[in-house]
Amino acid sequence: MALSYYYGYEADKYSFIRIPRVMVTESIFSSLSLQAKILYGLLLDRIGVARKNDWVDEEERIYVIYPIAEIQDDMSISKKKAIESLAELEAIGLVEKKQRGLGQPNILYVKDFITSDAVVSE
């Protein structure tokens, strides 16, 4: 199979999910699976959508609404894997979940990986 090269501005025609380098290189994040790291990148991407939708709580914190079913679809993983990946991020404090009840999806607060208790530099 012969693949084409990118020329000029063609590289800008795709959207990308950014995963912070420290998520891959720093030992503090070594316990996270690759799926959890990708999910964190997707959550960071969703912050832009949240800002546009004015998803801000009474303390001015941005939150994300990302139902498990959408995580499953976006990552092509099972419900169990989606829940496990989110739980990994919660366990180390990168995500805080707030339940809303009445069948509504949870609110997710995506936390800044740099301002955690263990400050990591790039």
Side-chain angles (χ1 to χ4, degrees), residues 15-78:
S15 64
F16 293 90
I17 298 164
R18 296 183 57 144
I19 300 169
R21 178 183 306 273
V22 296
M23 299 288 285
V24 177
T25 61
E26 296 295 325
S27 62
I28 191 170
F29 300 114
S30 64
S31 65
L32 290 176
S33 66
L34 288 175
Q35 286 176 328
K37 292 173 185 181
I38 291 169
L39 177 55
Y40 187 75
L42 287 168
L43 288 165
L44 289 176
D45 188 56
R46 288 253 171 157
I47 289 175
V49 173
R51 221 180 17 239
K52 289 177 187 171
N53 289 334
D54 200 29
W55 291 344
V56 180
D57 70 9
E58 60 280 347
E59 296 179 40
E60 300 296 315
R61 298 176 299 182
I62 295 175
Y63 61 85
V64 172
I65 297 173
Y66 200 6
I68 292 295
E70 285 186 40
I71 294 171
Q72 286 179 255
D73 289 344
D74 290 349
M75 295 181 65
S76 299
I77 57 176
S78 68

Coordinates of all heavy atoms in Angstrom, one line a residue, residues 15-78:
S15 N -8.5 17.0 12.8 CA -8.5 17.5 14.2 C -7.7 16.4 14.9 O -7.8 15.2 14.6 CB -9.9 17.7 14.7 OG -10.6 16.5 14.8
F16 N -7.0 16.8 16.0 CA -6.2 15.9 16.7 C -6.6 15.9 18.2 O -7.0 17.0 18.7 CB -4.7 16.2 16.6 CG -4.2 16.0 15.2 CD1 -4.3 17.0 14.2 CD2 -3.7 14.8 14.8 CE1 -3.8 16.8 12.9 CE2 -3.3 14.5 13.5 CZ -3.3 15.6 12.6
I17 N -6.4 14.8 18.9 CA -6.5 14.8 20.3 C -5.1 14.9 20.9 O -4.2 14.2 20.6 CB -7.2 13.5 20.8 CG1 -8.5 13.3 20.1 CG2 -7.2 13.4 22.3 CD1 -9.1 12.0 20.2
R18 N -5.0 15.9 21.8 CA -3.7 16.1 22.4 C -3.6 15.4 23.8 O -4.5 15.6 24.6 CB -3.5 17.6 22.6 CG -3.4 18.3 21.2 CD -3.1 19.7 21.4 NE -1.9 19.9 22.1 CZ -1.0 20.8 21.9 NH1 -1.2 21.7 21.0 NH2 0.1 20.8 22.6
I19 N -2.6 14.7 23.9 CA -2.3 14.0 25.2 C -1.0 14.6 25.8 O 0.0 14.6 25.1 CB -2.2 12.5 25.0 CG1 -3.4 11.9 24.5 CG2 -1.8 11.8 26.4 CD1 -3.3 10.5 24.0
P20 N -1.1 15.2 26.9 CA 0.1 15.9 27.5 C 1.3 14.9 27.5 O 1.1 13.7 28.0 CB -0.3 16.3 28.9 CG -1.8 16.4 28.8 CD -2.3 15.4 27.8
R21 N 2.4 15.4 27.1 CA 3.6 14.5 27.1 C 3.9 13.9 28.5 O 4.3 12.7 28.6 CB 4.8 15.4 26.7 CG 6.1 14.6 26.7 CD 7.3 15.5 26.3 NE 7.1 16.2 25.0 CZ 7.4 15.7 23.8 NH1 8.0 14.5 23.7 NH2 7.2 16.3 22.7
V22 N 3.7 14.6 29.5 CA 4.0 14.1 30.9 C 3.1 12.9 31.2 O 3.5 12.1 32.0 CB 3.8 15.2 32.0 CG1 4.8 16.3 31.8 CG2 2.4 15.7 32.0
M23 N 2.0 12.8 30.5 CA 1.1 11.6 30.8 C 1.8 10.3 30.3 O 1.5 9.2 30.8 CB -0.2 11.7 30.0 CG -1.0 12.9 30.4 SD -1.8 12.8 32.0 CE -3.1 11.6 31.7
V24 N 2.7 10.5 29.4 CA 3.5 9.3 28.9 C 4.9 9.2 29.5 O 5.3 8.1 29.8 CB 3.6 9.5 27.3 CG1 4.5 8.3 26.7 CG2 2.3 9.5 26.6
T25 N 5.5 10.3 29.8 CA 6.9 10.3 30.3 C 7.1 10.3 31.8 O 8.2 9.9 32.2 CB 7.7 11.4 29.6 OG1 7.1 12.7 30.1 CG2 7.7 11.4 28.1
E26 N 6.2 10.8 32.5 CA 6.4 10.9 34.0 C 5.9 9.7 34.8 O 4.8 9.2 34.5 CB 5.8 12.2 34.5 CG 6.4 13.5 33.9 CD 7.8 13.7 34.3 OE1 8.2 13.3 35.5 OE2 8.6 14.2 33.5
S27 N 6.7 9.3 35.7 CA 6.3 8.1 36.5 C 5.0 8.2 37.3 O 4.3 7.3 37.6 CB 7.5 7.7 37.4 OG 7.7 8.8 38.4
I28 N 4.7 9.5 37.7 CA 3.4 9.7 38.4 C 2.2 9.2 37.7 O 1.2 8.8 38.3 CB 3.3 11.2 38.8 CG1 2.1 11.3 39.8 CG2 3.1 12.1 37.6 CD1 2.1 12.7 40.5
F29 N 2.3 9.1 36.3 CA 1.2 8.7 35.5 C 1.4 7.3 35.0 O 0.6 6.8 34.1 CB 0.9 9.7 34.3 CG 0.6 11.1 34.8 CD1 1.5 12.1 34.5 CD2 -0.5 11.4 35.5 CE1 1.2 13.4 35.0 CE2 -0.8 12.6 35.9 CZ 0.1 13.7 35.7
S30 N 2.4 6.6 35.4 CA 2.7 5.3 34.8 C 1.7 4.2 35.2 O 1.5 3.2 34.5 CB 4.1 4.8 35.3 OG 4.1 4.6 36.7
S31 N 0.9 4.4 36.2 CA -0.2 3.5 36.6 C -1.4 3.6 35.6 O -2.2 2.7 35.6 CB -0.6 3.7 38.0 OG -1.3 5.0 38.1
L32 N -1.5 4.6 34.9 CA -2.6 4.8 34.0 C -2.4 3.9 32.7 O -1.4 3.9 32.1 CB -2.8 6.3 33.5 CG -3.2 7.3 34.6 CD1 -3.2 8.7 34.0 CD2 -4.6 6.9 35.1
S33 N -3.5 3.3 32.3 CA -3.5 2.6 31.0 C -3.5 3.6 29.9 O -3.8 4.7 30.0 CB -4.7 1.7 30.9 OG -5.9 2.5 30.8
L34 N -3.1 3.1 28.7 CA -3.1 3.9 27.5 C -4.5 4.4 27.2 O -4.7 5.5 26.8 CB -2.5 3.2 26.3 CG -1.0 3.0 26.4 CD1 -0.6 2.1 25.2 CD2 -0.3 4.3 26.4
Q35 N -5.5 3.6 27.5 CA -6.9 4.0 27.2 C -7.3 5.1 28.2 O -8.0 6.1 27.7 CB -7.9 2.8 27.4 CG -7.8 1.8 26.3 CD -8.6 0.6 26.5 OE1 -8.8 0.1 27.6 NE2 -9.2 0.1 25.4
A36 N -6.9 5.1 29.4 CA -7.2 6.2 30.3 C -6.5 7.5 29.9 O -7.1 8.6 29.9 CB -6.7 5.8 31.7
K37 N -5.3 7.4 29.4 CA -4.5 8.6 28.9 C -5.2 9.2 27.6 O -5.4 10.4 27.5 CB -3.1 8.2 28.6 CG -2.3 7.9 29.8 CD -0.9 7.3 29.5 CE -0.2 6.9 30.8 NZ 1.1 6.4 30.6
I38 N -5.7 8.3 26.8 CA -6.4 8.8 25.6 C -7.8 9.4 26.0 O -8.1 10.5 25.5 CB -6.7 7.6 24.6 CG1 -5.3 7.2 24.0 CG2 -7.7 8.0 23.5 CD1 -5.4 5.9 23.1
L39 N -8.4 8.8 27.0 CA -9.7 9.4 27.5 C -9.4 10.8 28.1 O -10.2 11.7 27.9 CB -10.3 8.5 28.5 CG -11.6 9.0 29.2 CD1 -12.6 9.4 28.2 CD2 -12.1 8.0 30.2
Y40 N -8.3 10.9 28.8 CA -8.0 12.2 29.3 C -7.8 13.3 28.2 O -8.3 14.4 28.3 CB -6.7 12.2 30.2 CG -6.4 13.5 30.9 CD1 -7.1 13.8 32.0 CD2 -5.4 14.3 30.5 CE1 -6.9 15.0 32.7 CE2 -5.1 15.5 31.2 CZ -5.9 15.8 32.3 OH -5.6 17.0 32.9
G41 N -7.1 12.9 27.1 CA -7.0 13.7 26.0 C -8.4 14.1 25.4 O -8.6 15.3 25.0
L42 N -9.3 13.1 25.3 CA -10.6 13.4 24.8 C -11.4 14.4 25.8 O -12.1 15.3 25.3 CB -11.4 12.1 24.7 CG -11.1 11.2 23.5 CD1 -11.7 9.8 23.7 CD2 -11.5 11.8 22.2
L43 N -11.2 14.2 27.1 CA -11.8 15.1 28.0 C -11.3 16.5 27.9 O -12.0 17.5 28.0 CB -11.6 14.5 29.4 CG -12.4 13.3 29.8 CD1 -11.9 12.6 31.1 CD2 -13.9 13.7 29.9
L44 N -9.9 16.6 27.7 CA -9.4 18.0 27.5 C -10.0 18.6 26.3 O -10.2 19.8 26.3 CB -7.8 17.9 27.4 CG -7.0 17.5 28.6 CD1 -5.6 17.4 28.3 CD2 -7.2 18.6 29.7
D45 N -10.2 17.8 25.2 CA -10.8 18.3 24.0 C -12.2 18.8 24.2 O -12.6 19.8 23.7 CB -10.8 17.2 22.9 CG -11.2 17.7 21.6 OD1 -10.6 18.7 21.1 OD2 -12.2 17.1 21.0
R46 N -12.9 18.1 25.1 CA -14.3 18.5 25.4 C -14.4 19.8 26.2 O -15.5 20.4 26.3 CB -14.9 17.3 26.2 CG -15.3 16.1 25.4 CD -16.7 16.1 25.1 NE -17.1 15.1 24.2 CZ -18.2 14.5 24.1 NH1 -19.2 14.8 25.0 NH2 -18.5 13.6 23.2
I47 N -13.3 20.2 26.9 CA -13.3 21.4 27.6 C -13.7 22.6 26.7 O -14.4 23.5 27.1 CB -12.0 21.7 28.4 CG1 -11.9 20.7 29.5 CG2 -11.9 23.1 28.9 CD1 -10.6 20.7 30.3
G48 N -13.2 22.6 25.5 CA -13.5 23.6 24.5 C -15.0 23.6 24.2 O -15.6 24.7 24.2
V49 N -15.7 22.5 24.1 CA -17.1 22.4 23.9 C -17.8 22.9 25.1 O -18.8 23.6 25.0 CB -17.5 20.9 23.6 CG1 -19.0 20.8 23.5 CG2 -16.9 20.5 22.3
A50 N -17.3 22.5 26.3 CA -18.0 23.0 27.5 C -18.0 24.5 27.7 O -18.9 25.1 28.1 CB -17.2 22.3 28.7
R51 N -16.9 25.1 27.3 CA -16.7 26.6 27.4 C -17.8 27.2 26.4 O -18.4 28.2 26.8 CB -15.3 27.0 27.0 CG -14.8 28.0 27.8 CD -13.4 28.5 27.5 NE -12.9 28.1 26.2 CZ -11.8 27.3 26.0 NH1 -11.1 26.9 26.9 NH2 -11.4 27.0 24.7
K52 N -17.9 26.7 25.2 CA -18.9 27.2 24.3 C -20.3 27.0 24.7 O -21.2 27.9 24.5 CB -18.7 26.5 22.9 CG -17.4 26.9 22.2 CD -17.3 26.2 20.9 CE -15.9 26.5 20.2 NZ -15.7 25.6 19.1
N53 N -20.6 25.9 25.5 CA -21.9 25.7 26.0 C -22.2 26.3 27.3 O -23.2 26.1 27.9 CB -22.1 24.1 26.1 CG -22.3 23.5 24.7 OD1 -22.7 24.1 23.8 ND2 -21.9 22.2 24.7
D54 N -21.2 27.0 27.8 CA -21.3 27.7 29.1 C -21.6 26.7 30.3 O -22.4 26.9 31.1 CB -22.3 28.8 29.1 CG -22.1 29.8 30.2 OD1 -21.0 30.0 30.6 OD2 -23.2 30.4 30.7
W55 N -20.9 25.6 30.2 CA -21.0 24.6 31.3 C -20.0 24.9 32.4 O -18.9 24.4 32.5 CB -20.7 23.2 30.7 CG -21.7 22.6 29.8 CD1 -23.0 23.1 29.6 CD2 -21.6 21.5 28.9 NE1 -23.6 22.4 28.6 CE2 -22.8 21.4 28.2 CE3 -20.5 20.6 28.6 CZ2 -23.0 20.4 27.2 CZ3 -20.7 19.7 27.7 CH2 -22.0 19.6 27.0
V56 N -20.5 25.8 33.2 CA -19.7 26.4 34.3 C -20.6 26.3 35.6 O -21.8 26.6 35.5 CB -19.3 27.8 34.0 CG1 -18.5 28.4 35.2 CG2 -18.5 27.9 32.7
D57 N -20.0 25.8 36.7 CA -20.8 25.7 37.9 C -20.8 27.0 38.7 O -20.2 28.0 38.2 CB -20.4 24.5 38.8 CG -19.0 24.7 39.4 OD1 -18.4 25.8 39.3 OD2 -18.5 23.7 40.0
E58 N -21.4 27.0 39.8 CA -21.5 28.2 40.6 C -20.2 28.8 41.1 O -20.1 29.9 41.5 CB -22.5 28.0 41.8 CG -22.1 26.9 42.8 CD -22.4 25.5 42.3 OE1 -23.2 25.3 41.3 OE2 -21.9 24.5 42.9
E59 N -19.2 27.9 41.1 CA -17.8 28.3 41.5 C -16.9 28.7 40.3 O -15.7 28.8 40.4 CB -17.2 27.2 42.3 CG -17.9 27.0 43.7 CD -17.2 25.9 44.4 OE1 -16.0 25.8 44.5 OE2 -18.0 25.0 45.0
E60 N -17.6 28.8 39.1 CA -16.9 29.2 37.9 C -16.0 28.1 37.4 O -15.1 28.3 36.5 CB -16.1 30.5 38.0 CG -17.0 31.7 38.4 CD -18.0 32.0 37.3 OE1 -17.6 32.0 36.1 OE2 -19.1 32.3 37.6
R61 N -16.2 26.8 37.8 CA -15.4 25.7 37.3 C -16.0 25.1 36.1 O -17.2 24.9 36.1 CB -15.3 24.6 38.4 CG -14.6 25.1 39.7 CD -14.6 24.0 40.7 NE -15.9 23.6 41.1 CZ -16.3 22.7 42.0 NH1 -15.3 22.1 42.6 NH2 -17.6 22.5 42.3
I62 N -15.2 24.9 35.1 CA -15.8 24.3 33.8 C -16.0 22.8 34.1 O -15.1 22.1 34.7 CB -14.8 24.5 32.7 CG1 -14.7 26.0 32.3 CG2 -15.2 23.7 31.4 CD1 -13.6 26.3 31.3
Y63 N -17.1 22.3 33.6 CA -17.3 20.9 33.7 C -17.7 20.3 32.3 O -18.0 21.1 31.4 CB -18.4 20.5 34.7 CG -19.8 21.1 34.4 CD1 -20.7 20.5 33.5 CD2 -20.2 22.3 35.0 CE1 -21.9 21.0 33.3 CE2 -21.4 22.8 34.7 CZ -22.3 22.2 33.9 OH -23.5 22.7 33.6
V64 N -17.6 19.0 32.2 CA -17.8 18.3 30.9 C -18.9 17.3 31.1 O -19.0 16.7 32.2 CB -16.5 17.6 30.5 CG1 -16.7 16.7 29.3 CG2 -15.4 18.6 30.2
I65 N -19.7 17.2 30.1 CA -20.7 16.2 30.1 C -20.3 15.2 29.0 O -20.3 15.5 27.8 CB -22.2 16.7 29.8 CG1 -22.5 17.7 31.0 CG2 -23.2 15.6 29.7 CD1 -23.8 18.4 30.8
Y66 N -20.0 14.0 29.4 CA -19.5 13.0 28.5 C -20.0 11.6 28.9 O -19.3 10.9 29.7 CB -17.9 13.0 28.5 CG -17.2 12.4 27.3 CD1 -17.9 12.0 26.1 CD2 -15.9 12.3 27.3 CE1 -17.2 11.4 25.1 CE2 -15.2 11.8 26.2 CZ -15.9 11.3 25.1 OH -15.2 10.8 24.0
P67 N -21.2 11.3 28.5 CA -21.8 10.0 28.9 C -20.9 8.8 28.5 O -20.2 8.8 27.5 CB -23.1 10.0 28.1 CG -23.4 11.4 27.8 CD -22.0 12.0 27.6
I68 N -21.0 7.8 29.3 CA -20.3 6.5 29.1 C -20.5 6.0 27.7 O -19.6 5.5 27.0 CB -20.6 5.5 30.2 CG1 -20.1 5.9 31.6 CG2 -20.1 4.1 29.8 CD1 -18.6 6.0 31.7
A69 N -21.7 6.0 27.2 CA -22.1 5.5 25.9 C -21.3 6.3 24.8 O -20.8 5.7 23.8 CB -23.6 5.6 25.6
E70 N -21.1 7.6 25.0 CA -20.3 8.3 24.0 C -18.8 8.0 24.1 O -18.1 7.9 23.1 CB -20.5 9.8 24.2 CG -21.8 10.3 23.7 CD -22.0 11.8 23.8 OE1 -21.0 12.6 23.5 OE2 -23.1 12.3 24.2
I71 N -18.3 7.8 25.3 CA -16.9 7.4 25.5 C -16.7 6.0 24.8 O -15.8 5.9 24.0 CB -16.6 7.2 27.0 CG1 -16.6 8.6 27.7 CG2 -15.2 6.6 27.2 CD1 -16.5 8.6 29.2
Q72 N -17.7 5.1 25.0 CA -17.6 3.8 24.3 C -17.5 4.0 22.8 O -16.7 3.4 22.1 CB -18.9 3.0 24.6 CG -19.0 2.4 25.9 CD -20.3 1.7 26.1 OE1 -21.2 2.1 26.7 NE2 -20.4 0.5 25.4
D73 N -18.4 4.8 22.2 CA -18.5 5.0 20.8 C -17.2 5.7 20.3 O -16.6 5.2 19.3 CB -19.7 5.9 20.4 CG -21.0 5.1 20.5 OD1 -21.0 3.9 20.6 OD2 -22.0 5.8 20.5
D74 N -16.8 6.7 21.0 CA -15.6 7.5 20.5 C -14.3 6.6 20.6 O -13.4 6.8 19.7 CB -15.4 8.7 21.4 CG -16.4 9.8 21.1 OD1 -17.2 9.7 20.1 OD2 -16.5 10.8 21.9
M75 N -14.2 5.8 21.6 CA -13.0 5.0 21.7 C -13.1 3.6 21.2 O -12.1 2.8 21.3 CB -12.6 5.0 23.2 CG -12.2 6.4 23.7 SD -11.7 6.4 25.5 CE -10.2 5.4 25.4
S76 N -14.3 3.2 20.8 CA -14.5 1.8 20.3 C -14.2 0.8 21.4 O -13.4 -0.2 21.1 CB -13.8 1.5 19.0 OG -14.2 2.4 18.0
I77 N -14.7 1.0 22.6 CA -14.4 0.1 23.7 C -15.7 -0.3 24.3 O -16.7 0.3 24.1 CB -13.4 0.7 24.7 CG1 -14.0 2.0 25.3 CG2 -12.0 0.9 24.1 CD1 -13.2 2.6 26.4
S78 N -15.6 -1.3 25.2 CA -16.8 -1.8 25.9 C -17.2 -0.8 27.0 O -16.4 0.0 27.4 CB -16.6 -3.2 26.5 OG -15.6 -3.1 27.5

